[in-house]
Amino acid sequence: MTAILQITDTHIVAEGVLVSGKLDTGAALKRLVSRLCSIHDQIGPVDAVLVSGDLSDDGTAESYERFKALVAPLGLPLHIIPGNHDAREPMRAAFTEQLPGNGPLNWHVQVGNVHMIGLDTLVEGHRHGTLTHETLTYLRNALIRANGAPVLLALHHPPFPSGIKFMDDIGLTNRGAIKQAVSGYSGKMHIVCGHIHSMMLTSIAGHLAISAPSPNSTFEYDQRADAPVGFFTQEDGCLLHRWNDGFQTVRIGPVAGAGPYSF
Ligand SMILES: [Fe+2]
């Protein structure tokens, strides 16, 4: 049994600052972490935390230090990839033990039975994401090394369109390339991402692709081309990915309802 928590799009800034003048993202992450600690016995042992990008809202060293302090109560190893709000070098400097010393922030690590592969889609100075030739080569080689074992593949930008135009306009530019790279992998694979602050599921070359919700805000599902652009305040927790002879993904909400009531 392997269990990996996925937290995404925490958008941490300096203490006392509100994101877009509205969101206290640090307080939201603190509430999520305290909720996770309080249900620790219910969800059982967790092996690691995957953070799928936009840890920071502004890419500052200070925001990464605050992020680390906020998730420290979990007491779990962190595996992180950058999102469009992150900055590669400050992130690398803040997580020297987890991230490579140079080049794209790609990594491959085995956690229990699961091969976790993290990919860097950050195009600094832009909001969209791209898988470079170097990163796609890294992915192909990592899948060769995984050799049919279960894979949890993570990237910030969804490898699928969400239907929300203003988010798809800043999506992954080469979705076809990842589809090509993962097609034919002989083992089980879940592809997980963030960026759209909500949970959506689809299939990429026969593998389940899942976007995780954000603990501080979301975007309304509105397929109209003239949909209002902006975010909604909403705390929507995180995901727990389990491997036990197959993948299972559970959504962990931020606040427990009242109960249990007898039937
Ligand atoms: Fe993002």
Side-chain angles (χ1 to χ4, degrees), residues 9 11 54 83-85 127 156-157 167 194-197:
D9 295 85
H11 289 269
D54 287 356
N84 49 296
H85 281 264
R127 292 183 293 167
H156 177 69
H157 295 81
M167 288 308 291
H195 193 52
I196 56 175
H197 292 216

Side-chain angles (χ1 to χ4, degrees), residues 47-239:
D47 298 287
V49 178
L50 164 68
V51 192
S52 45
D54 287 356
L55 284 67
S56 166
D57 192 66
D58 55 14
T60 59
E62 184 180 6
S63 64
Y64 292 118
E65 291 311 314
R66 189 167 180 224
F67 174 88
K68 287 197 286 189
L70 285 164
V71 297
L74 294 172
L76 292 167
L78 292 176
H79 302 283
I80 60 166
I81 50 172
N84 49 296
H85 281 264
D86 291 305
R88 201 171 274 116
E89 294 317 317
M91 196 171 177
R92 196 195 310 275
F95 297 92
T96 48
E97 283 172 26
Q98 289 88 26
L99 295 174
N102 53 61
L105 303 178
N106 300 318
W107 45 260
H108 175 191
V109 64
Q110 192 171 349
V111 179
N113 304 102
V114 174
H115 284 245
M116 277 172 55
I117 301 169
L119 300 180
D120 181 340
T121 54
L122 170 60
V123 184
E124 280 188 313
H126 297 274
R127 292 183 293 167
H128 67 264
T130 294
L131 291 159
T132 62
H133 179 74
E134 184 179 359
T135 292
L136 286 165
T137 302
Y138 185 92
L139 170 59
R140 285 194 201 91
N141 288 334
L143 291 176
I144 290 168
R145 286 198 302 275
N147 193 28
V151 166
L152 195 64
L153 172 60
L155 69 169
H156 177 69
H157 295 81
F160 54 84
S162 68
I164 304 169
K165 186 178 182 304
F166 66 86
M167 288 308 291
D168 290 338
D169 286 347
I170 58 164
L172 190 67
T173 56
N174 51 349
R175 297 183 194 119
I178 190 166
K179 184 175 180 181
Q180 197 174 29
V182 301
S183 86
Y185 182 68
S186 61
K188 301 284 188 195
M189 183 189 305
H190 272 194
I191 305 168
V192 297
C193 57
H195 193 52
I196 56 175
H197 292 216
S198 52
M199 188 174 181
M200 288 190 190
L201 298 90
T202 190
S203 169
I204 306 284
H207 306 291
L208 187 60
I210 311 168
S211 62
S214 161
N216 56 62
S217 60
T218 193
F219 305 116
E220 192 167 46
Y221 182 66
D222 188 337
Q223 290 207 88
R224 296 172 296 179
D226 61 347
V229 175
F231 64 87
F232 282 72
T233 56
Q234 178 177 303
E235 294 186 20
D236 202 2
C238 64
L239 300 180

Side-chain angles (χ1 to χ4, degrees), residues 1-39:
M1 169 82 83
T2 304
I4 297 160
L5 266 175
Q6 182 189 1
I7 298 175
T8 198
D9 295 85
T10 52
H11 289 269
I12 297 303
V13 286
E15 192 149 11
V17 176
L18 299 179
V19 170
S20 302
K22 187 79 184 166
L23 291 175
D24 188 343
T25 52
L29 180 55
K30 192 172 181 180
R31 282 191 288 275
L32 175 63
V33 168
S34 109
R35 160 103 171 111
L36 290 167
C37 291
S38 74
I39 60 171

